[in-house]
Amino acid sequence: RCPALRRLSCAGTLAADFRREEQPSGSAETGCKDKTPMKTFSEVQDGRREQAQRTVLIQCPNKISEKKFLKYLSQHGPIHSHFFYESFGLYAVVEFCQKDSIDSLLNGTQIPTVGTEAVIPFRSRFFSLKLKSPSGHITEKSPVQPSNQLPPSSKKLSELLCSAESVADQLTTLLKEFQLTEENTRLRYLTCSLIEDVAAAYFPGCTVRLFGSSVNTFGKLGCDLDIFLDLEETRKLGTHKSMGNFWMEFQVKSVPSERIAAQKILSVIGECLDHFGPGCVGIHKILNARCPLVRFSHQASGFQCDLTANNRIALKSSELLYIYGTMDWRVRALVFGVRCWARVHSLTSGIPGAWITNFSLTAMVIFFLQIRSPPILPSLDALKTLAGTEDKCIIEGNNCTFIRDLNKIKPSENTETVELLLKEFFEYFGNFAFNKNSISIRQGREQNKPDSSPLHIQNPFETSLNISKNVSQSQLQRFVELARESAWVLQQKDTAVPSPSSKLPWGLAALLLPSLTQSKKKQKKFGNERLKDLLESIKSNSAESSTNTSRK
Ligand code: GTP
Ligand code: MG
């Protein structure tokens, strides 16, 4: 077993079933050569979904005996795995071996009475465990060990990076510290599954799917939860039975467009989450965005959720990124490095606006790895050429076909180090002709820019669209200047390698310093521009306009 998997120690069985999925990154990082075939994106998703349906979330009293807790729950059936975590209280995620156990638990659980208030008797898989006599349980010798759901503090990260041995080592450390853990991934699928239960009250048989960085291998601890309501199966259900001259259809309401249908469905599900969804707070409907969404917080898991409808292309982009992220370990190491760098320097932001998004940055890294010699990553067109008939996929008239079986893709012969790649990434984009060229991961070559937007990154599946249309000239300029300065830092003898005599941050740690090498004057200039962009963003967001250019 790879150390990366052993680390997931909370329950012996926790990671075992997802070995094939963990294997690509695990083996590359740790050097363990495991020839188990790699899972496809759909296999991972289906497996995780089924696992989440056998899982419950329980708020526990702070001091609890783990042994007694498990014994109590086992009366409903054998437990496959469990872990605890803290988030304004102690929570347990418990996976049963069989789905029937959930029914037994639901049947053995009471709706509470809350003083003079009235409760909404909504029965979900999110429970509270109560103690009959609170003092009886505190005798436990070994208290529960909550698993960590947060990224390291900047101080801890800085220490870890400074004690690394090389820039490559620093990138690996960053990846290990920030990537989603097994437990966090489980919590994400569970939260998605709990939301599916709410949506299923209206649309039995619907699926709520996870996409974005939770599943595309580039997720950082703390990233948002992108989910979408998939009604494809609901539309398909009921195999067309015609006999003689007859067949049956549902009586339905119709609206003028798919967009309006999505707005109506999301509006109602948003209301339902608001009124009945335990732990769902701060519901905000953003229905006029290019891709209508409902944003809310799931308090118990701490995730900010963006729920959309009808977002199959975004799911397909996540699958494509999953393929790229799994193909070669250097991809994730670089993407994590570049994303963290961009975040520290406020090139990206949690608020939608004129800044570069993580999705665009990932596309830039992928593009850069496609144009290496020999290429580290194939173009999307090359992946399409490798596709078989089973891979064919057309969504809303867009050809989204590419090979989905990772085992059929030949590994790259390129042996460049991540250290070199990081430096050259900054050099390449520090000197890129953004004024005339566009970035296309579909073709894996620079293209002529079709319009005047400052940054043009072709949408891989809707090729006439630009995924970074929102980026302003000043934000692009900041990116370019910081990229140049970072390339420079990585070339300097005193900052590129660790020096035993000096305690100064070096390599990646030096790049992640908020001040980097910027002069006071430049910092002030960019500070003003950022403020201007921020004000613009707040203005347009409060008007609930469609500044959100994403497919979210
Ligand atoms: P985080 O910043 O870690 O959340 O990264 P993310 O990849 O999850 O990005 P985000 O939450 O902004 O968007 C979720 C997903 O929506 C992305 O992974 C893409 O698949 C898709 N997406 C986001 N922005 C765009 C866009 O501008 N165009 C298109 N076509 N898809 C987008
Ligand atoms: Mg996201």
Side-chain angles (χ1 to χ4, degrees):
R1 289 282 293 278
C2 303
L5 296 187
R6 248 183 276 124
R7 186 177 50 79
L8 308 168
S9 57
C10 164
T13 50
L14 208 63
D17 297 344
F18 288 90
R19 224 156 85 87
R20 281 170 66 198
E21 160 207 354
E22 289 276 342
Q23 186 256 341
S25 57
S27 64
E29 278 163 39
T30 57
C32 96
K33 295 252 181 299
D34 192 334
K35 291 274 179 253
T36 327
M38 288 179 272
K39 279 189 173 183
T40 65
F41 183 73
S42 331
E43 282 173 339
V44 173
Q45 291 247 326
D46 293 348
R48 291 283 187 191
R49 207 173 107 74
E50 189 277 326
Q51 178 184 49
Q53 287 167 346
R54 288 183 280 107
T55 306
V56 296
L57 180 59
I58 305 174
Q59 181 166 31
C60 301
N62 274 340
K63 298 227 168 95
I64 186 177
S65 154
E66 186 167 3
K67 226 163 94 190
K68 287 180 188 162
F69 169 75
L70 291 176
K71 191 167 164 220
Y72 173 72
L73 283 175
S74 308
Q75 61 178 310
H76 301 289
I79 292 169
H80 190 270
S81 72
H82 74 285
F83 66 90
F84 293 92
Y85 70 93
E86 275 170 340
S87 162
F88 302 107
L90 184 68
Y91 292 86
V93 171
V94 180
E95 177 199 355
F96 285 97
C97 295
Q98 290 135 15
K99 227 170 153 185
D100 296 354
S101 308
I102 307 267
D103 296 327
S104 162
L105 178 54
L106 285 166
N107 289 334
T109 302
Q110 297 177 20
I111 296 281
T113 40
V114 188
T116 53
E117 292 177 10
V119 296
I120 311 269
F122 188 81
R123 297 160 68 91
S124 77
R125 279 179 289 139
F126 178 19
F127 305 93
S128 290
L129 180 75
K130 300 289 177 187
L131 289 180
K132 277 192 191 141
S133 69
S135 55
H137 261 245
I138 310 175
T139 48
E140 179 78 343
K141 281 182 213 114
S142 51
V144 297
Q145 291 286 329
S147 92
N148 176 41
Q149 307 295 319
L150 295 171
S153 66
S154 39
K155 185 167 169 274
K156 174 157 182 243
L157 181 66
S158 173
E159 282 165 14
L160 285 170
L161 294 183
C162 286
S163 58
E165 282 167 11
S166 61
V167 174
D169 194 15
Q170 288 182 321
L171 282 165
T172 315
T173 303
L174 188 84
L175 179 60
K176 280 195 182 140
E177 292 294 319
F178 277 94
Q179 71 185 349
L180 301 183
T181 58
E182 168 66 21
E183 292 86 351
N184 195 268
T185 302
R186 282 176 174 236
L187 191 53
R188 284 171 186 271
Y189 277 92
L190 173 58
T191 308
C192 180
S193 180
L194 295 176
I195 303 219
E196 183 179 281
D197 288 352
V198 175
Y202 291 100
F203 298 102
C206 72
T207 309
V208 174
R209 296 192 190 278
L210 255 184
F211 68 101
S213 57
S214 301
V215 297
N216 67 16
T217 73
F218 299 112
K220 251 171 59 184
L221 284 172
C223 69
D224 68 354
L225 197 81
D226 302 298
I227 47 184
F228 88 94
L229 176 65
D230 188 355
L231 295 176
E232 208 59 18
E233 289 300 314
T234 309
R235 284 179 210 276
K236 262 198 265 164
L237 274 182
T239 36
H240 203 74
K241 275 206 179 110
S242 66
M243 197 201 271
N245 211 13
F246 298 113
W247 84 87
M248 296 287 266
E249 270 185 359
F250 283 104
Q251 283 276 346
V252 287
K253 289 206 164 183
S254 57
V255 288
S257 68
E258 283 294 339
R259 179 179 164 81
I260 299 176
Q263 285 170 330
K264 289 196 182 280
I265 292 169
L266 285 174
S267 174
V268 170
I269 291 178
E271 291 290 316
C272 189
L273 288 168
D274 194 11
H275 297 308
F276 308 147
C280 298
V281 297
I283 282 94
H284 189 49
K285 297 183 196 171
I286 311 172
L287 301 178
N288 289 328
R290 189 167 92 82
C291 190
L293 72 134
V294 174
R295 178 166 289 172
F296 60 95
S297 293
H298 188 260
Q299 255 180 339
S301 60
F303 297 134
Q304 181 187 280
C305 307
D306 278 355
L307 172 68
T308 46
N310 198 14
N311 214 348
R312 289 195 84 86
I313 291 202
L315 184 67
K316 208 63 195 168
S317 322
S318 305
E319 180 167 13
L320 179 65
L321 295 195
Y322 169 86
I323 298 264
Y324 280 132
T326 311
M327 227 182 261
D328 188 302
W329 81 274
R330 290 170 291 186
V331 185
R332 294 176 71 231
L334 282 174
V335 169
F336 273 70
V338 170
R339 280 186 172 200
C340 278
W341 166 84
R343 191 72 193 92
V344 166
H345 298 293
S346 308
L347 286 169
T348 49
S349 162
I351 312 164
W355 10 94
I356 299 180
T357 61
N358 276 332
F359 184 55
S360 294
L361 283 174
T362 310
M364 287 167 106
V365 175
I366 290 171
F367 178 76
F368 168 74
L369 297 176
Q370 288 173 334
I371 54 153
R372 302 303 295 168
S373 176
I376 293 179
L377 292 176
S379 67
L380 176 52
D381 275 342
L383 292 178
K384 187 174 157 202
T385 314
L386 290 174
T389 43
E390 69 286 3
D391 296 315
K392 192 162 177 229
C393 173
I394 311 280
I395 303 173
E396 295 158 21
N398 300 292
N399 194 332
C400 303
T401 306
F402 56 84
I403 187 159
R404 292 171 303 162
D405 184 351
L406 278 153
N407 303 295
K408 293 186 183 152
I409 306 171
K410 244 176 81 194
S412 163
E413 280 165 14
N414 181 308
T415 55
E416 287 170 305
T417 64
V418 267
E419 185 156 351
L420 175 85
L421 292 168
L422 183 68
K423 184 166 71 63
E424 302 231 332
F425 172 86
F426 288 129
E427 242 173 61
Y428 178 75
F429 282 113
N431 296 294
F432 189 86
F434 287 106
N435 56 340
K436 57 178 212 292
N437 287 342
S438 156
I439 292 160
S440 162
I441 62 168
R442 174 159 283 282
Q443 310 201 14
R445 280 195 311 268
E446 294 174 17
Q447 303 291 307
N448 289 333
K449 209 161 82 166
D451 61 41
S452 61
S453 34
L455 175 61
H456 195 281
I457 305 177
Q458 188 192 48
N459 182 322
F461 297 122
E462 295 163 282
T463 49
S464 61
L465 302 179
N466 172 11
I467 63 166
S468 49
K469 197 170 142 210
N470 59 314
V471 177
S472 67
Q473 185 61 44
S474 64
Q475 288 302 319
L476 177 65
Q477 198 188 333
R478 286 199 63 219
F479 172 85
V480 169
E481 301 235 1
L482 279 158
R484 285 183 188 168
E485 284 161 12
S486 300
W488 183 83
V489 168
L490 290 180
Q491 276 159 8
Q492 300 314 299
K493 284 227 160 50
D494 53 340
T495 44
V497 287
S499 121
S501 55
S502 121
K503 287 255 176 304
L504 285 179
W506 60 276
L508 196 56
L511 293 191
L512 299 184
L513 281 179
S515 61
L516 200 57
T517 52
Q518 282 185 31
S519 68
K520 282 265 162 347
K521 203 168 133 203
K522 247 194 233 163
Q523 279 181 38
K524 192 163 168 222
K525 176 174 160 247
F526 285 138
N528 289 341
E529 269 157 15
R530 190 171 157 73
L531 195 64
K532 213 171 79 196
D533 285 338
L534 193 63
L535 286 174
E536 276 299 312
S537 159
I538 291 168
K539 228 170 26 187
S540 43
N541 282 334
S542 62
E544 262 199 23
S545 76
S546 53
T547 43
N548 187 343
T549 55
S550 78
R551 293 272 317 173
K552 296 200 304 172

